[in-house]
């Protein structure tokens, strides 16, 4: 019985809030999300590596390797 009363209480609060508020923020947020999804253009759907990125990553890895190797040799 307590759960039923609690649910009814919550429903009354929601109805009261809706009467007092000029708009429902959850509905506005949902509308904004739906609008963004409908735009479609400009959305990132896939990514690819570039040669510039591959070169940078390789150089960084080699630099780190050489630094580590040099630090181990000096000890």
């Amino acid at each position: 019985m307590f759960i039923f009363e609690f649910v009814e209480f919550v429903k009354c609060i929601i109805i009261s809030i809706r009467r007092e508020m000029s708009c429902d923020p959850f509905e506005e947020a949902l509308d904004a999300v739906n609008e963004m999804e409908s735009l479609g253009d400009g959305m990132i759907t896939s990514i690819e590596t570039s040669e510039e990125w591959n070169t940078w990553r390789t150089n960084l890895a080699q630099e780190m390797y050489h630094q580590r190797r040099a630090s181990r040799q000096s000890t």
Side-chain angles (χ1 to χ4, degrees):
M1 189 71 168
F2 174 75
I3 293 175
F4 177 75
E5 292 170 351
F6 180 74
V7 169
E8 290 300 314
F9 174 73
V10 170
K11 285 167 50 176
C12 289
I13 290 176
I14 291 172
I15 290 170
S16 297
I17 291 172
R18 289 188 131 225
R19 285 185 192 151
E20 297 296 321
M21 295 180 72
S22 61
C23 62
D24 184 353
F26 294 111
E27 286 181 14
E28 287 182 356
L30 183 60
D31 289 343
V33 169
N34 288 338
E35 184 178 318
M36 288 177 63
E37 288 177 351
S38 67
L39 293 176
D41 297 334
M43 300 294 281
I44 299 172
T45 57
S46 65
I47 57 172
E48 297 178 12
T49 60
S50 66
E51 191 57 40
E52 182 180 1
W53 168 256
N54 289 335
T55 302
W56 178 83
R57 187 185 65 213
T58 301
N59 290 340
L60 177 63
Q62 288 175 347
E63 181 182 332
M64 292 171 65
Y65 173 76
H66 293 304
Q67 286 177 353
R68 174 72 175 148
R69 210 166 157 201
S71 72
R72 294 188 100 202
Q73 289 176 353
S74 65
T75 56

